[in-house]
Amino acid sequence: MFSPQMAGYDRAITIFSPEGELYQVRYAGEAVKRGWATVGLKCSDGVVLAAEKRKLGPLIDLNSIEKVYMIDTHIGAASAGLLSDARILIDYAREQAQVYRLLYDEQADVEYITKRISDLEQAYTQHGGVRPFGIALIIGGVDKNGPRLYQTDPSGIYFGYYATALGSGSSLILEYLEKNYKYEMDINSCVKLTIKSLSLVAESLESDRFEIGVIDAKTKSFRKLTAEELKKLIEEAKNEGLPQRPSA
């Protein structure tokens, strides 16, 4: 039921509610929950970032939709939420990575880039006239500390993970990963586990419905899997057995 007392807390980003919440930040989190499923895993062999792509219309070219991004040669990110907001944060992260290289003549740590993104997200929760970013990022890479995986949210908080998921159906994916994830997996097994987890919520298992990036621990280099590689790994995942989708 509408309450006049709630209206101010609901409309202003800089006013806390009596419960200690910023409602606009909560609403930004809802935009993330409604986004397409996104998954990140790290293993001893590297890091995998993956996202589902849905066909919004019969004439849309799915290859024009990007949800997995290269930030630097050793860092990638995947997003869930408003893709327009993701573009701004990814461009900012790329800029910060290049500034770090110019200043220190070395690659930035994955956590450093994550913190810079989170600092910007947090700044947009405490100033009037702006709104929080309606996006959350899974950021992964390989640096001097080995494979690293982090997740940010619109409030500016970030945590490190072994495996995580965002977007629509993320609770199902996380439940599956909790039962099947092992850090000792090789990169191919890690990719197949990612595909299996996404199959729980994906509209289709066609190769053009997924976007997957990997960062190899040995080469410390980010690359996206080709359509041919994806098709082969999807078939291998099917042959090993996909998890049963929940009944409607």
Side-chain angles (χ1 to χ4, degrees):
M1 185 173 180
F2 176 77
S3 168
Q5 292 180 333
M6 291 181 60
Y9 311 127
D10 187 70
R11 295 175 183 174
I13 186 62
T14 56
I15 301 177
F16 283 96
S17 74
E19 296 79 23
E21 281 195 273
L22 294 171
Y23 287 140
Q24 293 298 324
V25 175
R26 187 209 294 179
Y27 300 154
E30 289 299 318
V32 173
K33 291 179 183 178
R34 295 170 185 268
W36 300 339
T38 305
V39 180
L41 283 79
K42 75 173 181 180
C43 60
S44 58
D45 223 15
V47 177
V48 176
L49 301 167
E52 177 198 6
K53 296 194 289 186
R54 296 185 180 179
K55 205 170 184 66
L56 299 174
L59 300 180
I60 288 180
D61 179 6
L62 286 175
N63 292 322
S64 68
I65 300 174
E66 187 175 22
K67 284 201 64 188
V68 177
Y69 315 85
M70 183 175 77
I71 292 176
D72 202 344
T73 55
H74 64 303
I75 302 176
S79 65
L82 300 178
L83 294 182
S84 54
D85 285 10
R87 185 176 66 247
I88 300 302
L89 289 179
I90 293 299
D91 286 347
Y92 176 77
R94 288 168 174 166
E95 179 183 307
Q96 293 301 308
Q98 293 306 306
V99 167
Y100 191 96
R101 279 179 179 265
L102 289 171
L103 285 176
Y104 303 108
D105 196 27
E106 63 180 16
Q107 296 175 334
D109 290 346
V110 180
E111 185 173 8
Y112 173 83
I113 296 300
T114 304
K115 184 177 183 298
R116 297 298 295 166
I117 294 171
S118 298
D119 287 348
L120 181 61
E121 289 177 311
Q122 190 278 333
Y124 274 67
T125 69
Q126 64 177 32
H127 296 291
V130 300
R131 65 162 175 80
F133 288 95
I135 196 74
L137 296 175
I138 299 174
I139 303 165
V142 179
D143 56 27
K144 61 179 180 288
N145 300 305
R148 309 287 279 177
L149 186 72
Y150 295 93
Q151 178 184 312
T152 75
D153 75 15
S155 70
I157 295 173
Y158 73 90
F159 292 104
Y161 287 86
Y162 288 100
T164 187
L166 294 167
S168 177
S170 58
S171 57
L172 286 173
I173 294 172
L174 287 170
E175 183 179 347
Y176 178 77
L177 290 176
E178 286 171 2
K179 296 177 181 177
N180 295 277
Y181 169 82
K182 295 179 181 178
Y183 181 74
E184 296 76 19
M185 293 183 295
D186 61 33
I187 201 74
N188 274 354
S189 297
C190 203
V191 172
K192 284 186 281 187
L193 179 61
T194 303
I195 292 169
K196 291 176 184 179
S197 68
L198 283 171
S199 73
L200 288 165
V201 298
E203 291 182 341
S204 169
L205 289 181
E206 298 298 321
S207 60
D208 63 350
R209 297 300 183 96
F210 297 99
E211 189 174 12
I212 298 180
V214 298
I215 306 99
D216 186 270
K218 295 178 181 177
T219 63
K220 296 184 180 180
S221 60
F222 172 91
R223 73 180 186 90
K224 289 186 186 181
L225 299 185
T226 65
E228 291 74 19
E229 289 175 309
L230 271 175
K231 187 174 181 180
K232 179 183 177 183
L233 288 165
I234 289 171
E235 288 303 316
E236 290 179 7
K238 287 179 179 178
N239 292 335
E240 292 176 5
L242 297 175
Q244 186 174 359
R245 294 175 68 107
S247 55

